[in-house]
Amino acid sequence: MVRNKLTVAVLTAPNVLEIKRSIDKKIQLSGFDGKYLQVVLSALNVDYKIVEPPDGEWGRRLPGGNWTGLIGMVQKEEADMTLGSVAFTSTRQEVVDMSNPSAVYGETFVIEHPGHEISNTAYLYAFDAYSWLCSFFTLVIVPILFFIIAHRKISFGHMFLIMLGSILKQPMIFNRRFRNWSWLFCLWLSFVTIISLGYTAGLSAILTVHIPKDTINTFHQLASAVKRGTHRVYITKGNFIAEYLEMSKEDHLRIIGEEIIRNEWYFSSHESGSGKYISQNSVELESRPQLELFYGSQLAGKKLIISDENVGTTPLGFIISKKFCCRRKLNAIISRATSAGLHGKFFKDSSMKSALSSSIKTLELETKYQLSLQALSGTFMLLFLGISGSFIVLLFELMCHSYLNCHIKFRVHKWTGYSVFHMNTLNNFRTKCFK
């Protein structure tokens, strides 16, 4: 019985599909897509030849109606089928046929972790704005209550300073006027205890666990950054996602697609997983499983961030020619493989292999964060400003005191001078009169 011989078009990428040829020229496929393809071809019981598109693209439509990459090879009947992870789209279906889907994935992007920030106002991060406002209003209202209770015999400023000092863990002087209001003091002391301990715990956590800087997490943010010209979005050549984004009804997605096509932000599938196009100002747009496969160890090390959003969710499978000989058999094999979960198993195996390989190459000690002088610079600055303000007030008080003393002495001296003059005049008058 003569076996059919198929020409299979593939794109190679690390841990996705790799081709190894033995000395006797036998082909060994590895990677999760490679193993899945090997199982399907073995079940088809056919001889096969592996080819790669010269342009290294998945397939995009040219102005004349022809296609590049894998889709173009099948369209021109240079290949009978492709590997089993090509996205199904309506435009591709016009020129080629498709098998039953083997998986459904969405596209997302990965960006470099922006690092951590150390702010001079970190001591304010322990509470949010609402908590600070509530604490401030409480600090103003409670002295007013005590001021009213004391029948205005103790000034509001004095009560305010006492309450502020209690928050700063200074002792409170209990006036006899408030003996019947001890329950209010207990409530205030409970509030002070909770606020002080909560602030101490929050500040310690903020200073020892570094705060990540803001970065792009959504496609809306990415579109805004691309529109401003600060960021780039790279995809593999011939990826369907560029056309999908360009034709999207969502304005922000259409902006991204148009900029990708206009600037030709493409890279070869051979560069997948290299991370060359990932930085704080550029992202890589790919299916989520592949990004997790390529950069899993770096995600665990918090060097990269994958967005939580997905776009372009579409089924994946084999692209076949219009004259494919084994369509029904192929679909039956895909259905059985999908039911058995083979594609998922091969993906998990490749992910584990990639993670182990990356961890051996990039083994690093866990970073231990310590409280730095830079983190406390804001607190020291606030202390310096407080001491400087107190010193200025002290100088002002000394100057006022000296001025008042001089003024009083001058007036006393002047009054004394006038008194001596009048006494001498009176004595002279008496002497003349009684002579």
Side-chain angles (χ1 to χ4, degrees):
M1 183 178 177
V2 179
R3 295 180 13 146
N4 294 323
K5 185 170 185 177
L6 300 178
T7 301
V8 183
V10 301
L11 287 176
T12 58
N15 296 314
V16 178
L17 193 150
E18 298 175 274
I19 303 173
K20 298 178 182 178
R21 289 182 170 84
S22 59
I23 299 176
D24 55 356
K25 297 185 179 180
K26 286 185 178 181
I27 296 176
Q28 181 71 30
L29 301 177
S30 60
F32 75 93
D33 254 348
K35 291 180 179 179
Y36 183 68
L37 178 60
Q38 188 96 58
V39 167
V40 171
L41 292 174
S42 299
L44 282 173
N45 194 26
V46 294
D47 294 327
Y48 57 89
K49 178 176 69 173
I50 301 295
V51 296
E52 296 185 60
D55 53 17
E57 296 189 17
W58 290 95
R60 55 187 172 88
R61 184 167 51 184
L62 298 175
N66 292 325
W67 286 72
T68 63
L70 298 175
I71 306 299
M73 294 187 72
V74 176
Q75 179 193 24
K76 299 169 188 175
E77 297 185 356
E78 296 175 359
D80 299 300
M81 62 183 295
T82 66
L83 73 164
S85 60
V86 183
F88 296 168
T89 64
S90 57
T91 52
R92 289 177 176 179
Q93 197 171 12
E94 295 174 0
V95 294
V96 295
D97 282 347
M98 300 168 180
S99 68
N100 288 344
S102 56
V104 178
Y105 292 144
E107 303 278 316
T108 189
F109 64 87
V110 60
I111 190 170
E112 184 180 346
H113 196 287
H116 300 86
E117 66 177 353
I118 299 177
S119 174
N120 290 332
T121 58
Y123 56 88
L124 297 176
Y125 294 168
F127 292 153
D128 60 4
Y130 182 75
S131 300
W132 280 116
L133 286 174
C134 290
S135 300
F136 176 76
F137 284 126
T138 304
L139 184 60
V140 172
I141 292 171
V142 172
I144 293 176
L145 291 177
F146 282 110
F147 175 68
I148 296 172
I149 292 170
H151 304 290
R152 302 182 181 182
K153 293 182 179 179
I154 300 177
S155 67
F156 169 77
H158 182 66
M159 289 303 307
F160 180 82
L161 291 178
I162 291 177
M163 298 303 171
L164 180 61
S166 65
I167 292 179
L168 301 176
K169 299 182 179 180
Q170 299 298 314
M172 293 181 65
I173 300 175
F174 190 81
N175 196 296
R176 287 183 298 175
R177 294 187 180 92
F178 306 123
R179 184 176 302 169
N180 296 329
W181 297 89
S182 57
W183 60 271
L184 186 58
F185 267 99
C186 292
L187 289 178
W188 172 253
L189 291 176
S190 300
F191 170 78
V192 166
T193 303
I194 294 173
I195 289 295
S196 300
L197 295 179
Y199 179 80
T200 302
L203 183 62
S204 300
I206 289 294
L207 294 179
T208 53
V209 179
H210 289 190
I211 304 171
K213 296 179 180 177
D214 292 333
T215 188
I216 293 175
N217 291 310
T218 66
F219 280 94
H220 278 93
Q221 294 174 338
L222 182 60
S224 299
V226 169
K227 189 175 181 179
R228 292 194 304 268
T230 59
H231 287 68
R232 298 183 177 187
V233 182
Y234 290 96
I235 63 172
T236 51
K237 291 181 180 178
N239 193 327
F240 84 98
I241 195 63
E243 182 184 0
Y244 172 87
L245 294 174
E246 185 189 27
M247 302 299 293
S248 174
K249 296 179 181 180
E250 301 287 341
D251 292 337
H252 65 286
L253 297 181
R254 193 164 55 251
I255 290 172
I256 298 173
E258 291 172 352
E259 291 298 316
I260 291 174
I261 295 173
R262 185 173 67 86
N263 296 288
E264 297 185 353
W265 290 334
Y266 305 125
F267 63 91
S268 171
S269 62
H270 300 287
E271 298 176 300
S272 297
S274 64
K276 291 168 57 177
Y277 300 94
I278 302 175
S279 68
Q280 293 185 19
N281 297 314
S282 62
V283 305
E284 186 176 311
L285 186 59
E286 188 58 83
S287 67
R288 181 177 297 277
Q290 290 200 11
L291 291 179
E292 293 175 351
L293 173 65
F294 294 146
Y295 309 113
S297 61
Q298 298 183 60
L299 292 171
K302 298 183 179 180
K303 296 180 180 178
L304 301 176
I305 300 174
I306 290 183
S307 172
D308 294 329
E309 295 186 349
N310 290 327
V311 297
T313 302
T314 184
L316 309 177
F318 293 90
I319 297 296
I320 56 179
S321 67
K322 296 287 187 179
K323 301 177 181 179
F324 189 69
C325 63
C326 314
R327 184 193 312 269
R328 184 176 297 179
K329 188 176 181 180
L330 174 62
N331 286 334
I333 293 170
I334 293 173
S335 297
R336 291 198 299 268
T338 303
S339 300
L342 289 181
H343 195 271
K345 178 190 180 302
F346 293 144
F347 176 77
K348 290 180 181 179
D349 291 344
S350 295
S351 299
M352 180 65 70
K353 179 182 176 182
S354 175
L356 292 174
S357 174
S358 300
S359 62
I360 293 173
K361 293 178 182 178
T362 60
L363 184 61
E364 297 179 358
L365 293 175
E366 182 182 357
T367 303
K368 294 183 178 179
Y369 297 109
Q370 294 180 329
L371 211 57
S372 62
L373 181 61
Q374 185 178 1
L376 295 173
S377 58
T379 306
F380 283 114
M381 187 181 301
L382 186 64
L383 176 63
F384 175 76
L385 290 175
I387 294 175
S388 301
S390 301
F391 183 71
I392 292 172
V393 171
L394 177 62
L395 288 180
F396 181 75
E397 289 182 349
L398 291 175
M399 292 172 62
C400 290
H401 181 71
S402 300
Y403 172 77
L404 291 175
N405 283 342
C406 292
H407 185 66
I408 291 172
K409 287 180 180 179
F410 173 76
R411 294 187 65 179
V412 169
H413 178 72
K414 187 176 180 181
W415 181 80
T416 305
Y418 281 129
S419 299
V420 171
F421 172 76
H422 287 302
M423 288 296 295
N424 292 333
T425 305
L426 182 61
N427 290 332
N428 292 332
F429 177 75
R430 287 176 177 174
T431 302
K432 291 179 181 180
C433 290
F434 291 101
K435 256 183 177 181

